[in-house]
Amino acid sequence: MSELSSKILNSIENVIGKKNDINCIPLHEPYFEDTNAWKYVKNCIDTGWVSSSGDWIEKFEKGICSYTGSKYSIVVNNGTVGLRLALYVSGVERNDEVLIPPFSFVATANAVSHLGAIPHFIDIEGTTLSMCPKSLEKRLDQIAVKKEGKVFNIKTGRRIAALLPVHVFGIPANLSELLKISKSWGIPIIEDAAEALGSWFNISNKKKHCGLIGDLGVISFNGNKLITSGGGGVIITNNKELALRAKHLSRTAKINHPWEFDHDAIGWNDRLPNLNAALGLSQLEVLENRLIMKRNLLKKYKENLHSIKEIYFLNPRVNSISNNWLITISLNFKDIIKTKKERNELLNQAHKRNILLRPLWKPLHKLKMFRKSPKSSLFLAEEYEYRIINLPSSPQLLI
Ligand SMILES: *Cc1c(COP(=O)(O)O)cnc(C)c1O
């Protein structure tokens, strides 16, 4: 075993304890112990309101608005459909291009493809692992033209309809800079804030929740996220028109009427069931506490790993706050081959010790479905691909 792997793993075990053969340490587990989860879910079952309408839906939406400061929120089935719906209401159509960073869960690119649009990859920046404003600007200068208020890719002839930056592992993307570029070109921003509930950005001296800096943002409540509704997601926005349209389309575009079934568009059934909203609200009520538990966990990891010179912790920019969803370290080596070798050794050894460390996702532009998608130079993405490791990050790990 390499010396580095054992140093890192011993230090991790100092934080979370040594695990035996039966208990493995997953990356992120849900936690309901100190919540009203059972009471709220039981209420759904007792009253029969388990499906697409009921009181908990509105309560959950109100709770999200009050926590994030969003004027509107639309809860949906999951983050993926939330992204698809947010892109749709912001005007993305078949054969448009949507600019995205290559490091994300596959859902980001899938949501673009579900509309018949095409992901177009822009390189990352090392600090946030998300879209690099400089690369974006350079790429647009090279390939884009503005015609009658719309932006076109001169190489493909397709319209560039949206920017979709991702707040990777809860670390806010460089949104103040991305926003400037979005404004100067007139391209809307939809934020993939799936991992970023509880992450904030300081912009023009105002603290804004991730997802509310662009036109719309989407948060996921999947089981592995910071809090969960079983499955679910929410679109947040301060734009009334977009919010109403998203809400309407998420519920089959049905015109409100006591008994008539009239629909004025081809909508989706994206609604979050009441049962999931009840569970979600019970988790939202303990969010602040979870964020504290996360900060403590990060502190413990830092205390125990700081002397290892070959790694460093990913930190948010000074103008932003991360929810620490997945605590992340990066290997420090310059050489990519050495990095990959050390990373694989670390992952192998970790899995032998039942600690489920996780590497970065395979970059989206290397997945079979997206290999032919347009892309900028992805120089930094290539460099970071093998450097990044997520540590077990469940908030309850220190209990
Ligand atoms: C989880 C996640 C999604 C998708 O959310 P689901 O609720 O699982 O559909 C999208 N983007 C990112 C970055 C995610 O982590």
Side-chain angles (χ1 to χ4, degrees):
M1 177 164 31
S2 94
E3 211 183 310
L4 178 60
S5 303
S6 57
K7 253 196 301 190
I8 294 175
L9 293 172
N10 291 341
S11 306
I12 292 175
E13 281 175 349
N14 282 343
V15 177
I16 61 176
K18 231 185 166 86
K19 291 301 143 179
N20 55 35
D21 292 345
I22 310 148
N23 293 327
C24 73
I25 301 279
L27 198 65
H28 206 288
E29 275 186 309
Y31 186 58
F32 303 107
E33 211 92 315
D34 54 349
T35 68
N36 289 319
W38 182 240
K39 187 174 150 203
Y40 293 178
V41 167
K42 186 172 182 300
N43 168 270
C44 296
I45 295 165
D46 287 345
T47 59
W49 291 96
V50 292
S51 195
S52 49
S53 42
D55 293 348
W56 296 104
I57 296 170
E58 202 179 312
K59 283 186 198 158
F60 191 29
E61 285 180 338
K62 278 206 174 126
I64 290 156
C65 285
S66 117
Y67 177 76
T68 60
S70 176
K71 283 196 185 136
Y72 308 96
S73 70
I74 302 105
V75 288
V76 289
N77 263 319
N78 56 57
T80 313
V81 304
L83 285 170
R84 185 259 293 136
L85 185 57
L87 288 166
Y88 184 79
V89 297
S90 71
V92 174
E93 292 178 3
R94 181 166 293 278
N95 284 324
D96 285 343
E97 291 179 9
V98 175
L99 305 178
I100 72 171
F103 289 137
S104 187
F105 180 51
V106 67
T108 313
N110 282 348
V112 173
S113 306
H114 290 159
L115 291 173
I118 292 120
H120 178 149
F121 298 103
I122 304 292
D123 206 4
I124 59 148
E125 53 173 16
T127 31
T128 64
L129 301 179
S130 190
M131 193 184 285
C132 170
K134 287 205 179 90
S135 301
L136 173 66
E137 194 159 35
K138 192 166 154 205
R139 180 69 175 165
L140 285 170
D141 284 341
Q142 280 169 351
I143 58 123
V145 283
K146 231 175 175 172
K147 259 192 273 174
E148 292 160 10
K150 292 179 179 172
V151 182
F152 290 88
N153 179 342
I154 47 179
K155 287 196 173 164
T156 61
R158 291 187 290 243
R159 186 168 77 105
I160 296 174
L163 294 178
L164 183 54
V166 181
H167 302 292
V168 180
F169 309 139
I171 298 172
N174 194 350
L175 268 167
S176 47
E177 294 304 310
L178 292 172
L179 190 66
K180 285 181 200 159
I181 302 165
S182 129
K183 283 196 171 145
S184 80
W185 282 89
I187 309 172
I189 295 185
I190 291 83
E191 294 170 59
D192 183 338
E195 305 174 353
L197 181 65
S199 296
W200 300 81
F201 201 93
N202 262 321
I203 194 157
S204 322
N205 290 325
K206 262 201 188 142
K207 196 175 149 203
K208 285 200 176 177
H209 194 276
C210 281
L212 293 174
I213 298 142
D215 296 70
L216 303 123
V218 179
I219 298 167
S220 164
F221 302 116
N222 187 44
N224 64 348
K225 299 298 199 291
L226 183 61
I227 63 162
T228 184
S229 58
V234 65
I235 299 177
I236 52 175
T237 180
N238 288 324
N239 183 315
K240 185 174 182 184
E241 196 185 323
L242 295 178
L244 291 177
R245 181 130 179 87
K247 180 135 212 164
H248 186 59
L249 289 171
S250 75
R251 33 179 74 196
T252 67
K254 185 176 180 297
I255 298 167
N256 233 342
H257 193 277
W259 40 263
E260 204 152 25
F261 272 83
D262 193 4
H263 308 254
D264 62 1
I266 299 176
W268 284 280
N269 180 11
D270 287 343
R271 286 168 296 186
L272 184 75
N274 200 42
L275 191 63
N276 298 86
L279 187 61
L281 183 68
S282 76
Q283 288 262 284
L284 190 62
E285 288 171 349
V286 294
L287 175 61
E288 286 294 356
N289 167 269
R290 296 294 183 268
L291 291 167
I292 293 169
M293 290 164 97
K294 286 283 203 175
R295 280 201 292 276
N296 290 340
L297 181 63
L298 174 64
K299 191 164 159 256
K300 268 268 163 65
Y301 273 132
K302 283 190 169 170
E303 280 165 12
N304 280 275
L305 278 84
H306 82 274
S307 62
I308 305 173
K309 296 292 172 242
E310 296 89 342
I311 60 162
Y312 62 90
F313 282 83
L314 249 65
N315 288 314
R317 304 180 150 273
V318 285
N319 57 359
S320 59
I321 299 168
S322 170
N323 62 4
N324 301 307
W325 174 55
L326 288 187
I327 295 169
T328 305
I329 57 170
S330 172
L331 295 168
N332 237 338
F333 306 111
K334 284 250 150 37
D335 177 45
I336 292 185
I337 295 168
K338 172 145 177 78
T339 306
K340 191 173 176 182
K341 197 167 154 265
E342 286 288 356
R343 180 200 75 159
N344 290 351
E345 171 74 15
L346 176 60
L347 291 170
N348 277 328
Q349 293 303 333
H351 281 248
K352 276 188 196 150
R353 291 200 201 183
N354 267 332
I355 302 172
L356 302 190
L357 297 188
R358 203 183 70 171
L360 199 52
W361 306 280
K362 184 169 182 173
L364 298 173
H365 66 281
K366 292 190 176 174
L367 300 182
K368 193 175 152 200
M369 314 77 84
F370 304 118
R371 263 181 227 150
K372 294 201 178 105
S373 286
K375 50 181 177 289
S376 74
S377 144
L378 296 174
F379 182 79
L380 270 188
E382 299 283 334
E383 190 187 316
Y384 275 77
E385 182 177 349
Y386 303 114
R387 287 173 66 159
I388 301 297
I389 306 274
N390 298 130
L391 307 185
S393 302
S394 306
Q396 65 272 32
L397 270 175
L398 290 184
I399 289 175

